[in-house]
Amino acid sequence: VQLVESGGGLVQPGGSLKLSCAASGFSFGDYVIAWFRQVPGKEREGVACFSNRDKITYYGDSVKNRFTFSTDNAKSTMYLQMNNLKPDDTAVYYCAADPRYYSGSYFCRGVVPPNFWGQGTQVTVSS
């Protein structure tokens, strides 16, 4: 399993950024696929988690109505569109995947950590 993130960078508050995660080595449509973020010294936070079990995307409370998760199954790629970015969104963003048949909320809420992770991409929101 390989997950490779791209699209991070520096953006001003109120701006937008779109992250991509190219996946390989597994059946993209059968896994839970997700985005997490982490700030040094803080717990990892589930941002958006999609399960093929219930076809529902679970969003973390801090990003609801600002971030949108999407996929291109033909390209085995997941995306995270981030709008109205705030300084508190500054973090390393990771994509993740797991073959277990759980709902997305299990992963995003930290009940079950995903088995596979990308290397992360830095997002910095600052003026």
Side-chain angles (χ1 to χ4, degrees):
V1 173
Q2 187 174 17
L3 300 164
V4 180
E5 302 96 337
S6 61
L10 173 65
V11 62
Q12 292 187 342
S16 297
L17 209 57
K18 187 172 185 177
L19 305 182
S20 301
C21 174
S24 61
F26 65 99
S27 180
F28 191 70
D30 292 336
Y31 275 44
V32 171
I33 47 179
W35 287 97
F36 288 78
R37 66 187 183 185
Q38 190 163 24
V39 176
K42 293 188 177 182
E43 287 192 6
R44 184 173 57 206
E45 178 185 6
V47 175
C49 300
F50 174 80
S51 171
N52 279 287
R53 172 188 179 189
D54 52 20
K55 308 297 184 185
I56 292 174
T57 302
Y58 177 93
Y59 290 97
D61 288 340
S62 63
V63 306
K64 283 180 181 176
N65 300 316
R66 298 190 298 122
F67 290 12
T68 303
F69 176 91
S70 63
T71 63
D72 184 335
N73 288 347
K75 296 181 179 179
S76 294
T77 301
M78 69 180 96
Y79 304 96
L80 185 68
Q81 176 67 47
M82 305 184 293
N83 296 330
N84 190 21
L85 282 160
K86 305 174 181 180
D88 284 349
D89 295 318
T90 296
V92 178
Y93 284 71
Y94 299 89
C95 60
D98 194 284
R100 290 170 290 180
Y101 205 53
Y102 292 132
S103 66
S105 65
Y106 266 54
F107 294 94
C108 262
R109 291 188 290 111
V111 175
V112 178
N115 278 331
F116 303 105
W117 295 86
Q119 82 287 351
T121 186
Q122 176 70 45
V123 172
T124 302
V125 184
S126 175
S127 56

